Amino acid sequence: MVDRETDRLDSWKEIADFLGRDERTAMRWAKERGMPVHRLPGGKRSGVYSSRKEIGAWMQTHPTERQESETQAGSEVRETKVTREKWIPMVVVSVIGCVILAGAVIGRFHSIEQRGRPERVNFTQRGIEVFDAAGGKLWTHDFGKLLNAEVFPKAGDYQSLNELARIDDFFGDGDREVLVVVPLLSGSNPHDLYQSEAEMFTSGGKLLWSYIPRKTYLFGDHLLGGPWVITTLFVSDNHPKKAIWVSAVHYIWGNTFVSELDPVTGAESVRFVNTGAIHTLNEMKTPQRTFLLAGGFNNEYDSSSIAVIDESKQFTVSPQTTGTRHKCVSCETGDPDYYLVFPRTEINRYEKVYEDPVWRVDVSKDEIESLNRQLLNREGVEAIYSLRVTTSIEPVSLRFGSDYDMLHRELSARKKLDHALENCPERIHPKPIRMWTPSGGWTEIPLRTSRVED
């Protein structure tokens, strides 16, 4: 069995999702009821974190709002019964009947609470197990094939786990469905090819639909028809029902198509095709439009990239050079609003790592933050770009992850780099970002940064 449980909750959204409430309710419970939520020290964003274990224990001793309202309703029914005892027998019988009915309804609600709601998914060798907040197993599902355990996240890696499983109210009816991405091996060998599928289950474990990526695209003279691997699962909170986005990457060539899936039926609508792997999806909402952010790598430009796409567009494709093997010649026409390509860092060039992809995209108000991993096998060695969103996308600044700085100092001490971190040319004069727009084509955008201080 492969246990990939993660306990930490790293934002109000994650805490609210775990509770099955909105973020305002989660904040109120923390402030007024003492729900265990911790605030990160320092930082202008004043982040918060908690854990499933802490909140699960707190919920055992603190009634939810629904339980409180049910208790109050039961108290009112009992008071009504006492007040009406002097009424004629027929009325008394009616009141007693109402009390019995109310008790039955309250009992049903408590039964639902005791049964639990889906809160956590665990992947096994052949399927999944679904648990409630208290750790009770609700149901299991066997997919009939072995799962590729190599793609499962490490313990505590919430970011990766969130891209394989989501539990949410997808239909807006107050229930919670379970959506998982499963890597099914073609044989019994762990190194066999595998096919990704997305599966939607009811809260009780009934399979609603399955989605298997099966598209075929012609890039130059190369026909790519799979196998496709779902690398990213992103859920957009679009009312009245949520939108599901998945990126399917070609197993060998790395080209990607991004699809929107209907939560009710699983029906597919391909919205973006990229020459290169897409590793992360996110969304930015402005007063005028909502943009899909697709971060990853571009094979033609040999570097990390982000596509910024107005979600009202029905189809878009990455801008590639006509006549090359990178141009999708079978795709429909359609342009992203912006396409950004980032330069490689000196550590990436020194270590000779081919792919330096955008690994995560964070959104905060009018800012997009792109985390570009410079060494695929080492988290934290990252170049982090800030992009400002106004009436357009404006690249602003560059900084580096702490592990990047540590590795830079180590390489400088070993004379592998000919300068100290404090005098690093890439920090004093960062290389520009290349940005493409439908109206202007490719342009170079300069950046600003500051020297490193001890």
Side-chain angles (χ1 to χ4, degrees):
M1 180 181 298
V2 182
D3 185 0
R4 292 297 183 253
E5 176 181 357
T6 180
D7 185 57
R8 186 175 170 109
L9 303 167
D10 284 315
S11 67
W12 283 118
K13 185 179 187 305
E14 292 179 12
I15 293 170
D17 287 346
F18 178 71
L19 292 169
R21 301 295 197 278
D22 58 27
E23 292 182 42
R24 293 180 62 184
T25 299
M27 294 177 185
R28 180 166 57 82
W29 286 7
K31 180 179 180 180
E32 300 177 3
R33 304 185 181 192
M35 185 176 68
V37 174
H38 314 287
R39 193 167 296 279
L40 294 170
K44 64 179 182 179
R45 297 182 184 176
S46 190
V48 297
Y49 69 95
S50 186
S51 74
R52 288 173 169 79
K53 183 177 180 181
E54 285 182 302
I55 293 181
W58 176 85
M59 291 174 68
Q60 298 298 317
T61 58
H62 291 74
T64 63
E65 290 178 324
R66 182 168 69 181
Q67 290 172 325
E68 288 179 346
S69 63
E70 290 166 2
T71 301
Q72 182 179 358
S75 175
E76 291 172 355
V77 169
R78 290 190 296 272
E79 179 181 350
T80 300
K81 178 180 176 182
V82 172
T83 304
R84 303 297 189 232
E85 283 179 346
K86 298 182 181 180
W87 286 15
I88 61 175
M90 184 178 294
V91 176
V92 172
V93 171
S94 299
V95 171
I96 293 174
C98 291
V99 172
I100 294 173
L101 178 60
V105 172
I106 293 173
R108 178 175 176 271
F109 285 148
H110 281 293
S111 175
I112 292 174
E113 286 292 333
Q114 291 168 2
R115 185 182 66 193
R117 302 192 309 166
E119 294 289 351
R120 179 172 63 83
V121 174
N122 178 56
F123 290 88
T124 66
Q125 289 182 342
R126 294 171 56 93
I128 58 172
E129 302 170 321
V130 176
F131 299 84
D132 61 18
K137 187 184 294 185
L138 299 177
W139 50 270
T140 64
H141 184 86
D142 189 316
F143 293 104
K145 293 183 179 180
L146 289 174
L147 275 59
N148 186 352
E150 294 181 357
V151 306
F152 293 149
K154 297 179 181 179
D157 187 354
Y158 180 84
Q159 170 75 12
S160 297
L161 181 62
N162 207 38
E163 293 176 350
L164 288 177
R166 288 295 300 273
I167 300 174
D168 214 327
D169 179 7
F170 286 95
F171 306 152
D173 58 1
D175 203 358
R176 285 165 69 81
E177 290 73 39
V178 178
L179 175 64
V180 295
V181 172
V182 289
L184 301 176
L185 288 169
S186 58
S188 59
N189 191 317
H191 300 294
D192 288 340
L193 291 178
Y194 68 96
Q195 172 72 59
S196 290
E197 297 183 11
E199 315 273 355
M200 177 73 84
F201 296 86
T202 67
S203 60
K206 178 183 177 182
L207 179 62
L208 295 175
W209 51 258
S210 298
Y211 163 74
I212 303 175
R214 300 185 186 276
K215 295 298 183 182
T216 299
Y217 293 102
L218 183 64
F219 291 86
D221 296 329
H222 298 271
L223 188 65
L224 305 186
W228 301 97
V229 176
I230 298 176
T231 58
T232 303
L233 169 65
F234 173 68
V235 178
S236 169
D237 190 13
N238 286 333
H239 299 288
K241 64 181 181 181
K242 298 179 183 294
I244 300 169
W245 299 85
V246 294
S247 61
V249 178
H250 191 270
Y251 197 92
I252 299 173
W253 292 95
N255 291 11
T256 305
F257 66 91
V258 177
S259 295
E260 182 181 2
L261 306 182
D262 185 289
V264 177
T265 65
E268 172 190 49
S269 174
V270 177
R271 303 291 294 279
F272 175 56
V273 172
N274 186 70
T275 297
I278 295 297
H279 291 284
T280 185
L281 298 171
N282 207 337
E283 189 177 64
M284 166 161 267
K285 297 180 180 180
T286 70
Q288 294 78 28
R289 294 181 289 177
T290 299
F291 293 99
L292 179 70
L293 310 174
F297 188 81
N298 189 283
N299 292 344
E300 179 180 357
Y301 311 124
D302 281 343
S303 201
S304 51
S305 64
I306 288 181
V308 182
I309 305 164
D310 185 342
E311 289 185 9
S312 66
K313 294 183 176 180
Q314 295 304 304
F315 181 83
T316 58
V317 61
S318 61
Q320 311 295 157
T321 304
T322 301
T324 68
R325 63 183 177 88
H326 304 291
K327 182 75 172 180
C328 181
V329 296
S330 65
C331 288
E332 305 171 45
T333 58
D335 296 322
D337 295 78
Y338 303 90
Y339 197 91
L340 296 93
V341 175
F342 303 91
R344 294 177 179 270
T345 65
E346 59 182 339
I347 284 182
N348 174 270
R349 299 194 303 272
Y350 171 79
E351 296 287 351
K352 298 179 181 179
V353 176
Y354 171 66
E355 194 174 356
D356 62 336
V358 174
W359 201 254
R360 199 175 83 221
V361 177
D362 295 333
V363 175
S364 176
K365 293 184 179 179
D366 61 347
E367 182 179 279
I368 299 171
E369 195 168 75
S370 171
L371 282 75
N372 301 6
R373 184 171 286 185
Q374 300 304 298
L375 304 179
L376 280 176
N377 62 347
R378 182 167 172 180
E379 186 175 356
V381 182
E382 297 165 334
I384 305 168
Y385 291 89
S386 293
L387 315 172
R388 183 180 297 121
V389 181
T390 54
T391 55
S392 62
I393 302 292
E394 177 189 357
V396 176
S397 63
L398 165 67
R399 59 187 176 87
F400 296 88
S402 57
D403 282 7
Y404 188 101
D405 290 349
M406 292 172 61
L407 182 55
H408 192 294
R409 293 183 190 277
E410 176 186 330
L411 294 174
S412 296
R414 291 164 50 196
K415 307 300 182 183
K416 302 297 182 181
L417 297 177
D418 61 1
H419 56 269
L421 176 67
E422 294 74 17
N423 299 318
C424 178
E426 291 189 354
R427 297 167 186 269
I428 300 172
H429 301 292
K431 293 184 178 180
I433 294 174
R434 296 182 66 215
M435 185 168 72
W436 182 93
T437 61
S439 59
W442 288 105
T443 57
E444 290 194 346
I445 310 296
L447 294 171
R448 60 175 173 80
T449 189
S450 59
R451 289 176 177 267
V452 176
E453 298 180 0
D454 290 329

